[in-house]
Structures are given as C-alpha cells and as structure tokens.
Amino acid sequence: MPKLIIDSREVEVENGLTVLQACELAGVEIPRFCYHDRLTIAGNCRMCLVEVKGMPKPQASCALSVNDLRPGPNGEPPEVITRSKTVKKAREGVMEFLLINHPLDCPICDQGGECDLQDQAMAYGVDASRYAENKRAVEDKYIGPLVKTSMNRCIHCTRCVRFSAEVAGVPDLGAIGRGEDMEITTYLEHAMGSELQGNVIDLCPVGALTSKPYAFQARPWELRKTETIDAMDAVGSNIRVDCRGREVMRILPRLNEDINEEWISDKTRFVWDGLRTQRLDRPYIRENGRLRPANWSQAFNLIAERIGAASPDRIAAIAGDLQAVEELYALKDLMTRLGVASVDCRQDGSALGEAGGRAAYLFNATIAGIDEADAILLIGTNPRKEAAILNARIRKAWRQRKAQIGLIGERADLAYDYAYLGAGPESLDAIMQGEHGFLDVLRSAKRPLIILGAAATARPDGKAILGRVAKLALDLGAVKDDWNGFCVLHDAAARVGGLDIGCVPGEGGRATPAILKAAEAGELDVLFLLGADEIDTSKLGNTFVIYQGSHGDRGAHRADVILPGATYTEKSGIYVNTEGRPQVAGRASFPPGDAREDWAILRALSDVLGKTLDYNNLDELRARIYEAAPHLAETDMIVAADPAGLQALGQAAAGSIDKAPFASRIRDFYLSNPIARASKIMAECSALRQGAERLVAAE
C-alpha cells in the first residue's frame, strides 16, 4: 500500500486511489465540480488542483493516481500540499474563469442555498473579477417535463452526461461545439428517456439543471426535512421528504450504500404532487347508487351492521401494495378475531409464502449482492419498470464485472445487453434440460444470480414455476454457504412485510383469485379492501365493499363505504423491502381532513365490531408485531432466511405449467399505483413515454 505525505501528515492508502480520494481519507477537503465518486473521471473543472512536490505546476488531484507519484530523492514518500499559496492562487484563478460567463443570478436561482458553485466561490474564490467583457448566452434546452434547464449557468462539468451514459444507460445528453461554443444538450431537444433522469438535478453543481415541478415553489431553509422510506416499489429507497406546513414540496434521496446508493427513481422523486390531489378526506357511504359524505360513526355502524349479518366464511379482506406492516398486522388480527380466514396481502394473485419459508419469497442475495454476481438470469421480470434503482445495480454489474445476463420474458430495453432466451415457461424448461448454452454460463459462474419477477409468480401456475426456479438454483449450486442466488423481485412495498407477519389466508380461507371468483359468483357478502386498487373490481358483483385508503382510485369508485386513510409520508410505519430488510418510515406531514392513520382506523373499528384489538398506541402495536415476527425488530438489518426451505419448494417443480408467455404486471412505470395515478407530473411523463413508444413502433 502506497504511503504519501499530505500537508505534513503521513498516510497509507489503498492502491489505485486518486490523490483527491487520499486527501479525503486524510481529512483534507478538496473542492471539486466535475469529480463524483460514482462516475468516471473527466478532469474538466480543474478546481481540485494541489501541489505535488517535485512537479513543476499544480496537478488535478482527481485524475492523478497515488501510484503515479514518485518518491523523494532519498526514498521518502511523495508529498502533496493542499494549502500553499500556489494552490490558493491556482484555485482562485480557476474560480475566476468559471465565473466569467456565469450569470450570477443567485437570488432567482432554484439552486440558491444548495449550490456547490456558490459555496465554493465563498470558500475558494476572490471578491472581484478582472473580466468586463459581455457574458456568453446559451439558449435553454427542453429535455422533458422533469428537469428545467438554465444553460447560461452551465460550467461543463459533464456530470449529467456521464450519469446518463454510465449509470442510467440511456445516453440522451451530450456535448456539442468546442471551447466557448460548447453546449450540453440532447441535440434534437427531446425528452430524456430514463427513469432515473431526475438524479442529474442532484448531480448538477450549479443551477443549470433544476427540478421543473419544484421551480420557484420554496427555498431550502423554509422546509421541514424528514428522513423516511419510499413506497413506490419494493426496493425501499431511503429518501428525505421536505414539507412546508403540512404540504410535501419535494422528495430527495438519502445515501444508503446497501440499497439505493444515492439515487432514486423519477417516480419516487416527482410523485409528491399526487399526495395532495384526489385525496379522500372524510368517510363516505353509498346511498341509491351515489356516495355521500358521512361521519365516522355512521360509516362504522353501517360496516358493523353488514358484517354482523354475514357469516365469517362469506367475508374476505384484501390488502394493497402501499401498506405498512402495522395496518397489515391490525387487519389480519381483526379478521382473525372475527373468524374470517380469507385474508390476503397478495393482490397480484401470487402463491408466494405458501411453501419454502422466507427464502422462497426474498431477494436472498441482497441488493448490494448484485455487485458480486457474474451471471444473472432474469425470469418474468422487467426490472427497469419494476425496480429502476435495482436495475441500475444490474447495469453496474454488467459494466464493471462484465456479468453475463439472460432474460426469459418480454423483450425490453433494460439499458444493458442480454441474451434473450425465450418468452415463457417452456424456455425455462429448456434451460433446465440443458438445451440452451446459457446453462453453461450459469454453471461456470462463481456467484450465479436468478431473479424471479411477478410476471412469473402472479399466475395460476406460479407455484409450479417457483418450484422449477428453486430447483434450477439448487442444481446450479447457486445456493451455498456463503451465497444464495435464488432471488424474488417484488414490485410492491407491502408484499414482504405482509408475508412476514402471515397476512395470508388461514385454514380453509381463500386467496385473492378465489376471493374475486367467489364475489363474482355471489358467494361473498362483505369484502374489505385495505388500499387494494390493482384488482379487477368488475368481478365484485353485488358484494358489499368497504374501502380504506388515501385516494379516490379504483377501489373507492366501487366501494359502498369509504374510510379515509394516510399515505406513506403521513404515517410512521415499518416497510420491509424485497431483500427482507425492515425499515421505519418517519411521518413527514399529516393526513388531510378527517383522514387517519390506517392502523388507528382498524383499532377504532374493532371497538364498534365488539372485537377490540388490545393495543392503544403505535408502541404497543409494534411490540405485538415484534413478538410475532422477531426479525422485524432488527431495523435496517437483514436476517438471512434459511435456504433449507428451497429444497421443499423445489419439490413443487413437478406441477403443470401454462405455455402462455410471461406478461409484465407493470405496463406503465409512471402510473403503477393510486398516488402515481393522481399525479399530474406522472401523467405527463406517461403520455410522453407512450408517444415515444408509438413513434418507435411506427418506424
């Protein structure tokens, strides 16, 4: 390991580090604009200049490796000086050049208060400029409805260009021209096509790229900041929700190396306007075919009347995709006390959780484990739509580790190359029988990874497919002491938590497909929908439907009684991501009107039904949850599932399968849940994407 002296202090660092990284490890701050830990080195801005003893001029520390430094004449470690007069003068000169054409419009810039250029000009710049020439003017570019451009401010750091090409895998942005005429653009000025494009807002060190929906809405010092967890998919991205009063103004990523690194998807970032539109803010009761406002007592009494008149075997409950563990547990508990066995948190109709233990429904390799995979088989999943952040991890493994990837399912642009192996279960059987060369790729891999998606599990033959994939993983040696390559990728934030606490049918109970079939046949009297909006409500027949949720979406349109609940930003709740990691979401704001937290509604309803739940606050409820599922108390930790359950699961491989190809459950990335469908921003993105797809199809 090389040694060097940084500002008279000797340090030892790893091979391959840059001088900038070595300085950071030594606790020395180095200013930079173009350098970013997760992007390739560009060396554009020259702000990171340092003095290296023995070299005639200051060096760009971001582009200089510690291994390239030569020792002193007597063999002493190379010496780096970051605070000399030479370095100070060089940085002041660079800053002066950067500000030659900058408009200096900080008072009207959305980046004001969070601008790297502003901060570093204060710390490393001078108080006056020697340049009096006219400033360069650049036209603003249209790059879509999410990112606002003010290209006069651009300093050509190319962070946005490198992110689009390297991380997102959709190289929309690039540079044209040279010198003073250089511009960052999409060239034809079309909308960017990545589901991760909003991250360029965070990357931009100046105000050239800012959030278009958030523009001129608030200043950062006006906002109350709450650290919480995203519920738009099952990745469990760490986010920060910024509110002014009770209104959510923006959503930003938080750093978590094991989950989302420092990125979030566009749906996570821009769905905030859907949190305030089409909200349910009071109870409703349907009379004469029309919903009318009611109070809580009227709604509860009507529910008690209908449930009291029905036998338990003619009552059922389905939970949705955005629910926290607390309300799922309360729902299951209430239905158990009522004697109702037909309770299901799998509104997609999958058979997950019925065999094999936790290992049969978790992303066992973990999200960070994708970085170690050298061969990946995707079955019935489109991770770009179902988990855009996880898809970026797969792309990173493809770029950096040269991981080979195969796909069984719908053809799609996943932002990386893959071998297309077929459309349905027959292709899976062909691989298991050795009829495809990709089997050899998986066998020769040290850490093979098999990712099974909802398109494969949410089918009538899902259990047989699940068994076949488990058997394939075991046969390949993908399940061993230090590695479990059998991974289920969920697309719903609530799914793993619901399975962990047993929110599935009890003995003699019906699962979601059977519940819908019974309702259509007139065999069901009462159906309780807890935020379940993705089911086919046309099959509910004359069933009395109770809907508890936050938005006036599909479930509310069919409901006979509506109970207004809270969204994921308006309650404190436990969410378990696809890898089985429990995380606690913080409450950033409060629900509107008479809406309440979902577990509290169920607790109040239990009183009226005469089946009082024995917890009166969140702490008591969580104590019961931790008693039922102790691993959920290990916040932000993954308790590995016992892989022995996969042996029993593999025995189900003999079941019959349908020849129908796998069809993705998420057809539109931007409109996949009630909050997103209420968002004007997401609707605009969806319309643009569909228009682009129709144009490509026509060509």
Side-chain angles (χ1 to χ4, degrees):
M1 296 174 69
K3 293 182 179 180
L4 63 159
I5 298 172
I6 300 175
D7 291 341
S8 304
R9 178 185 168 194
E10 185 174 313
V11 296
E12 188 175 11
V13 297
E14 296 179 13
N15 282 307
L17 290 186
T18 64
V19 172
L20 186 150
Q21 291 171 316
C23 290
E24 292 284 328
L25 291 173
V28 178
E29 182 182 356
I30 303 293
R32 83 294 297 271
F33 291 115
C34 67
Y35 175 81
H36 192 278
D37 290 341
R38 304 186 197 281
L39 305 176
T40 55
I41 293 168
N44 291 340
C45 71
R46 321 307 285 181
M47 194 65 203
C48 64
L49 292 175
V50 297
E51 191 177 355
V52 180
K53 205 165 185 179
M55 291 189 175
K57 59 182 181 179
Q59 300 294 308
S61 59
C62 71
L64 181 63
S65 172
V66 294
N67 299 95
D68 294 334
L69 299 178
R70 287 184 288 182
N74 299 316
E76 61 267 24
E79 186 172 353
V80 176
I81 305 165
T82 70
R83 297 173 183 170
S84 66
K85 288 184 179 179
T86 301
V87 171
K88 183 175 184 294
K89 185 177 180 181
R91 290 175 180 171
E92 288 175 351
V94 170
M95 182 60 71
E96 196 173 359
F97 272 112
L98 287 174
L99 295 177
I100 288 174
N101 285 309
H102 197 78
L104 305 178
D105 56 350
C106 303
I108 62 165
C109 176
D110 269 322
Q111 201 87 347
E114 299 174 317
C115 177
D116 293 346
L117 183 64
Q118 198 176 55
D119 295 340
Q120 292 185 39
M122 288 289 292
Y124 303 101
V126 290
D127 62 351
S129 174
R130 291 170 286 177
Y131 291 88
E133 289 81 3
N134 291 329
K135 291 182 181 288
R136 180 183 82 140
V138 182
E139 287 185 5
D140 294 340
K141 310 295 191 293
Y142 172 79
I143 59 174
L146 303 180
V147 183
K148 180 176 181 287
T149 61
S150 298
M151 303 313 291
N152 280 337
R153 303 169 185 158
C154 181
I155 62 171
H156 304 154
C157 69
T158 67
R159 279 185 179 183
C160 56
V161 175
R162 286 174 284 147
F163 173 83
S164 298
E166 296 165 14
V167 178
V170 183
D172 287 326
L173 291 174
I176 60 172
R178 290 176 62 84
E180 188 182 61
D181 296 325
M182 180 177 172
E183 296 182 25
I184 304 297
T185 178
T186 56
Y187 192 64
L188 296 178
E189 295 200 23
H190 58 77
M192 294 175 67
S194 171
E195 294 80 12
L196 303 174
Q197 61 181 280
N199 291 289
V200 301
I201 297 167
D202 299 329
L203 286 172
C204 185
V206 297
L209 303 176
T210 55
S211 172
K212 188 175 285 188
Y214 173 71
F216 312 119
Q217 297 292 314
R219 285 297 197 182
W221 53 84
E222 299 177 319
L223 304 176
R224 184 181 70 256
K225 302 166 180 64
T226 306
E227 295 186 349
T228 184
I229 305 301
D230 174 52
M232 291 297 103
D233 55 33
V235 174
S237 297
N238 286 213
I239 58 173
R240 192 187 86 196
V241 176
D242 290 358
C243 299
R244 185 171 59 192
R246 65 190 302 164
E247 191 172 357
V248 175
M249 303 302 293
R250 64 176 180 178
I251 297 174
L252 298 175
R254 286 191 292 130
L255 179 67
N256 190 317
E257 296 288 355
D258 293 331
I259 303 175
N260 58 304
E261 297 179 307
E262 59 189 87
W263 320 122
I264 52 174
S265 73
D266 293 338
K267 184 163 55 178
T268 298
R269 183 185 297 269
F270 294 106
V271 79
W272 49 264
D273 70 318
L275 294 168
R276 63 179 77 147
T277 55
Q278 296 186 17
R279 290 301 304 271
L280 300 172
D281 59 356
R282 66 184 69 180
Y284 288 87
I285 291 174
R286 189 177 297 277
E287 288 184 355
N288 301 319
R290 298 178 65 87
L291 289 168
R292 69 163 179 86
N295 57 41
W296 285 103
S297 296
Q298 291 171 329
F300 282 170
N301 289 335
L302 179 57
I303 293 170
E305 179 186 331
R306 299 306 290 259
I307 288 180
S311 61
D313 62 324
R314 295 180 68 88
I315 302 173
I318 301 174
D321 294 344
L322 304 178
Q323 311 310 309
V325 171
E326 286 84 351
E327 52 258 30
L328 293 172
Y329 183 87
L331 176 68
K332 176 67 174 178
D333 193 5
L334 177 59
M335 291 298 149
T336 300
R337 291 167 189 258
L338 291 170
V340 176
S342 300
V343 184
D344 203 350
C345 69
R346 305 161 300 179
Q347 68 169 341
D348 61 352
S350 74
L352 293 171
E354 294 181 3
R358 292 183 76 232
Y361 61 79
L362 291 186
F363 200 96
N364 293 289
T366 74
I367 295 172
I370 295 173
D371 295 344
E372 303 176 30
D374 43 8
I376 303 173
L377 176 60
L378 305 173
I379 302 173
T381 181
N382 180 341
R384 185 170 170 182
K385 286 185 177 180
E386 296 165 16
I389 294 298
L390 186 140
N391 194 58
R393 286 268 192 179
I394 297 175
R395 175 175 166 78
K396 185 165 74 168
W398 171 77
R399 282 187 67 243
Q400 297 183 358
R401 293 179 55 85
K402 308 300 179 187
Q404 296 189 62
I405 302 170
L407 171 67
I408 299 176
E410 288 184 330
R411 284 186 185 271
D413 179 4
L414 299 180
Y416 42 79
D417 295 334
Y418 59 83
Y420 186 67
L421 309 177
E426 289 181 319
S427 303
L428 175 60
D429 284 345
I431 286 181
M432 294 179 67
Q433 294 164 12
E435 298 176 11
H436 200 289
F438 200 79
L439 182 65
D440 297 329
V441 173
L442 293 169
R443 278 184 174 151
S444 60
K446 293 181 180 178
R447 293 196 180 279
L449 191 65
I450 301 175
I451 300 177
L452 183 65
T457 58
R459 296 166 38 122
D461 58 351
K463 193 170 183 178
I465 293 171
L466 192 65
R468 278 170 163 78
V469 176
K471 186 174 186 303
L472 175 62
L474 293 167
D475 292 347
L476 290 172
V479 181
K480 42 195 173 186
D481 292 341
D482 61 341
W483 179 256
N484 187 343
F486 176 84
C487 298
V488 176
L489 176 58
H490 295 272
D491 56 17
R495 192 75 76 245
V496 175
L499 294 173
D500 277 352
I501 61 166
C503 191
V504 292
E507 185 176 350
R510 301 181 178 97
T512 296
I515 290 173
L516 297 179
K517 187 176 180 181
E520 191 174 25
E523 299 171 1
L524 207 62
D525 293 333
V526 179
L527 176 61
F528 196 108
L529 300 180
L530 179 60
D533 291 279
E534 313 307 321
I535 62 172
D536 186 355
T537 55
S538 66
K539 293 184 176 181
L540 299 184
N542 295 320
T543 304
F544 183 81
V545 177
I546 306 159
Y547 177 79
Q548 179 177 323
S550 61
H551 283 71
D553 204 74
R554 298 164 185 164
H557 291 167
R558 172 56 187 83
D560 295 290
V561 175
I562 295 176
L563 306 177
T567 64
Y568 69 102
T569 61
E570 297 164 356
K571 59 190 174 187
S572 177
I574 301 168
Y575 287 92
V576 188
N577 74 349
T578 191
E579 59 184 350
R581 183 192 304 270
Q583 301 180 97
V584 179
R587 182 170 63 187
S589 61
F590 292 87
D594 290 335
R596 297 291 183 267
E597 293 185 43
D598 292 284
W599 77 267
I601 295 173
L602 292 165
R603 168 64 179 79
L605 177 60
S606 70
D607 270 344
V608 179
L609 295 176
K611 303 291 182 180
T612 304
L613 301 177
D614 52 358
Y615 28 84
N616 298 312
N617 56 53
L618 201 54
D619 290 338
E620 291 179 4
L621 171 55
R622 284 180 178 165
R624 294 288 301 274
I625 291 171
Y626 297 153
E627 186 181 335
H631 63 276
L632 296 183
E634 304 292 332
T635 303
D636 204 32
M637 302 285 289
I638 298 177
V639 176
D642 185 0
L646 297 178
Q647 297 283 353
L649 187 64
Q651 296 174 4
S656 61
I657 59 171
D658 192 341
K659 294 182 179 180
F662 297 132
S664 178
R665 202 170 77 92
I666 296 180
R667 309 307 301 180
D668 191 328
F669 168 77
Y670 297 103
L671 304 178
S672 60
N673 61 61
I675 301 175
R677 287 191 287 269
S679 166
K680 182 180 178 182
I681 302 169
M682 293 295 100
E684 188 174 354
C685 291
S686 172
L688 274 172
R689 179 61 57 86
Q690 290 177 7
E693 289 174 353
R694 284 195 294 269
L695 184 62
V696 170
E699 291 174 352

